[in-house]
Amino acid sequence: MSEAIRKAGELTLDETTVTALRAVLRTTADEVVQAIIDEVPPYAGALSGRMGGTIRGAVRTALGHYLDLASGNATGGDGGDAAYELGRGEVRDGRSMDALLSAYRVGARVAWRCLAAGAVPAGLPAAEVAKFAELTFAYIDELSAASAAGHADELAARGRARERYLEHLARDLLAGASPDVLLASAQRAGWQPPASLTAVLLPAAQARPAYRALDPGTLVLDDLPDATGVLLVPDADRPHLLRLLTGRTAVVGPARPWTRACASYARAARARSLSSDIRDTEDHLPELVLSADVDALADLRTRALAPLQSLPTATARRLEETLREWLLNQGRREDVATALFVHPQTVRYRMSQLRELFPDLASPHRVLELTLAIGLRAD
């Protein structure tokens, strides 16, 4: 408290004045607390009962330290430490720094009035009274600054702690933790669970910039392997979300109940591995279904298309293309011909060959197998 110490060095208080001031400390503390209750609304119900007694004791301690400083018997360090802790405590009690600064201003006014009322009758000269006033307000200013620092540090510490809790929650969600674990993790992070979460995968460098445009309840991770970032967006309006992500290399998974966000993440991750062109997984459900078990699909193709294996490669390819269009166009010859850029009579000829190779082509089961085997192959 360099300024307060300097002001104290300019002040001369005799023992009679100091004794008179100490005699009014208790009543001064009580008046300070009462004035704060009356004039600063956030403290209206906070300084009653046991809490009020604790605060009154703290005010008396601060005033006693102030008188030690004024009489040249203290350095001022303890007052600053206590004020710093007071600022931190106000965060824990849910009050803003504005409320505490208002309390300091009210306290300084009332304390000066009470202390001056004790010092002047004790014979403090007018010149010293002025110095006494300067010391009073310099001391309060420095207490206020120490409290502001404590308040800011506590907010920052809480912000960092909550950010760690939110990241832990996001990891639990992606890992598919149990609902009980997820609920406990959400409560620890102070995060209100939504009805659903939608996973968005994008480059890690884009995660934080994109996050700033989304719902503040969005969870974000930007340190996954392969420089991947993940956003878990609560109760997303899908068209709006897609518009917000325009210009970003993002893959948007499906909306899922919040405890099953891992399913949305898994689908988005699989879509991303399937193709770099996929943006909305809902537009690519057939591809995603057929790619769920690549080995099974390969086995299905081998078995379903076995009759073509004995043919020359070019012939097999033409017949497979024709079969694909015949299945997708539900046997409409004109549509098949248009898709293949051939004459309808050519389609008729090829289908005759295919019916010889696949005698059970009219079987629903065979149609299903063949549709799955070749339905998504490129032309």
Side-chain angles (χ1 to χ4, degrees):
M1 289 199 171
S2 57
E3 181 63 17
I5 293 173
R6 188 180 68 79
K7 294 291 185 184
E10 298 173 357
L11 179 64
T12 302
L13 294 182
D14 57 31
E15 189 61 33
T16 300
T17 303
V18 172
T19 300
L21 291 173
R22 291 194 185 282
V24 299
L25 272 184
R26 180 177 294 275
T27 57
T28 298
D30 289 343
E31 290 194 32
V32 166
V33 172
Q34 189 58 51
I36 292 172
I37 292 173
D38 293 341
E39 299 182 35
V40 186
Y43 291 94
L47 303 182
S48 59
R50 184 174 179 181
M51 178 62 73
T54 301
I55 296 297
R56 284 179 175 81
V59 172
R60 283 197 295 272
T61 299
L63 291 173
H65 182 266
Y66 163 73
L67 289 181
D68 289 341
L69 184 64
S71 59
N73 296 322
T75 61
D78 292 339
D81 292 345
Y84 179 87
E85 291 302 322
L86 177 61
R88 294 184 63 199
E90 291 299 276
V91 175
R92 292 191 286 270
D93 289 338
R95 284 185 289 274
S96 70
M97 192 60 213
D98 288 342
L100 183 55
L101 292 177
S102 295
Y104 269 126
R105 286 192 293 270
V106 170
R109 188 189 74 238
V110 174
W112 166 243
R113 186 186 69 231
C114 294
L115 293 174
V120 173
L124 188 67
E128 295 302 305
V129 170
K131 294 176 183 177
F132 192 33
E134 290 180 359
L135 171 61
T136 300
F137 291 101
Y139 181 72
I140 293 297
D141 283 347
E142 293 184 2
L143 288 182
S144 299
S147 287
H151 197 277
D153 287 351
E154 182 68 15
L155 281 176
R158 286 184 168 230
R160 288 191 296 271
R162 184 167 189 265
E163 185 172 344
R164 288 195 298 273
Y165 288 142
L166 289 171
E167 288 182 0
H168 185 77
L169 170 60
R171 295 183 195 281
D172 283 346
L173 285 163
L174 297 190
S178 70
D180 287 346
V181 168
L182 293 176
L183 188 58
S185 188
Q187 290 173 340
R188 186 167 55 247
W191 183 79
Q192 180 62 43
S196 69
L197 284 171
T198 298
V200 178
L201 269 63
L202 68 178
Q206 296 182 21
R208 296 285 171 179
Y211 162 75
R212 287 193 285 271
L214 300 175
D215 185 293
T218 298
L219 300 173
V220 56
L221 287 173
D222 58 2
D223 59 352
L224 296 182
D226 302 325
T228 298
V230 177
L231 302 173
L232 297 175
V233 186
D235 297 331
D237 176 335
R238 195 173 194 85
H240 180 63
L241 175 60
L242 289 165
R243 286 195 298 272
L244 287 176
L245 294 171
T246 299
R248 301 188 185 280
T249 309
V251 181
V252 182
R256 287 292 179 265
W258 79 275
T259 55
R260 294 190 57 243
C262 59
S264 180
Y265 168 69
R267 182 175 296 176
R270 194 151 55 82
R272 189 167 179 255
S273 67
L274 186 63
S275 171
S276 60
D277 296 327
I278 295 180
R279 174 177 172 79
D280 184 354
T281 57
E282 298 301 281
D283 291 340
H284 297 269
L285 292 179
E287 295 97 320
L288 289 167
V289 168
L290 291 180
S291 66
D293 188 335
V294 176
D295 286 342
L297 179 61
D299 291 344
L300 175 63
R301 279 186 52 78
T302 299
R303 185 179 72 184
L305 300 179
L308 298 178
Q309 300 305 310
S310 61
L311 302 177
T313 301
T315 301
R317 183 181 301 114
R318 283 196 301 271
L319 289 179
E320 182 178 334
E321 290 173 350
T322 301
L323 180 58
R324 175 180 184 274
E325 293 303 329
W326 183 82
L327 291 168
L328 294 180
N329 288 282
Q330 300 179 8
R332 293 187 294 270
R333 190 184 307 168
E334 296 292 335
D335 292 340
V336 174
T338 299
L340 294 174
F341 302 102
V342 297
H343 193 278
Q345 191 63 30
T346 302
V347 174
R348 182 177 182 178
Y349 171 70
R350 291 181 184 177
M351 287 307 302
S352 295
Q353 292 180 284
L354 286 166
R355 287 190 176 91
E356 290 180 8
L357 293 166
F358 299 93
D360 57 348
L361 192 55
S363 163
H365 182 73
R366 173 62 77 181
V367 168
L368 175 61
E369 278 198 349
L370 289 170
T371 300
L372 292 175
I374 63 176
L376 292 174
R377 283 181 59 79
D379 291 337

